[in-house]
Amino acid sequence: MKNKVITMCGSKKFQEKVMDVAFSLELKGNCILTPVFKINTEGEILSEEEINILSKMHFRKIELSDAIYVVNVGGYIGKSVKNEIEYAKQLGKEILYLEEINGDVHV
């Protein structure tokens, strides 16, 4: 898998693993688009408007990509990531997984 534009998808609770995998994929010659994770400090909560903007921009990244890479640690895929997978499927994007699911590719 080389020279692709790949959007990383995964739960915020796996943000460190998402960034580790993104680093590895980029070193293999891929252009990686990552979600924007904000570290929650002192109970800071994003507004609904901010969440909507970030979600819209993440879906735009999927549109720009050749593939998405789902970081599904322990097989976990949350609601937001399920929506991202469905969107990628609608667009005919390649879908890659950290951990294999139903025979789909994992790298």
Side-chain angles (χ1 to χ4, degrees), residues 9-10 14 70-77 96-101:
C9 298
F14 304 133
V70 179
V71 178
N72 57 328
V73 176
Y76 178 81
I77 298 175
L96 306 164
Y97 296 90
L98 176 67
E99 297 181 13
E100 190 169 339
I101 295 181

Side-chain angles (χ1 to χ4, degrees), residues 8-24:
M8 303 300 296
C9 298
S11 171
K12 182 179 179 183
K13 64 182 167 182
F14 304 133
Q15 68 186 32
E16 188 174 325
K17 183 67 172 177
V18 169
M19 299 314 290
D20 288 345
V21 173
F23 181 77
S24 175

Side-chain angles (χ1 to χ4, degrees), residues 6-10 17-23 25 32-35 37 58 61-62 65 67-71 84:
I6 302 171
T7 294
M8 303 300 296
C9 298
K17 183 67 172 177
V18 169
M19 299 314 290
D20 288 345
V21 173
F23 181 77
L25 291 171
I32 304 301
L33 304 176
T34 63
F37 293 115
H58 194 68
K61 291 173 188 174
I62 293 170
S65 298
I68 66 169
Y69 192 107
V70 179
V71 178
E84 293 163 4

Side-chain angles (χ1 to χ4, degrees), residues 16-60:
E16 188 174 325
K17 183 67 172 177
V18 169
M19 299 314 290
D20 288 345
V21 173
F23 181 77
S24 175
L25 291 171
E26 192 144 292
L27 285 178
K28 292 179 181 176
N30 299 287
C31 177
I32 304 301
L33 304 176
T34 63
V36 177
F37 293 115
K38 181 172 172 70
I39 296 173
N40 190 353
T41 57
E42 300 178 19
E44 185 178 359
I45 298 173
L46 295 175
S47 71
E48 189 172 326
E49 180 182 2
E50 290 171 324
I51 291 168
N52 288 336
I53 290 169
L54 292 175
S55 177
K56 183 178 178 182
M57 294 303 96
H58 194 68
F59 278 86
R60 181 68 179 123

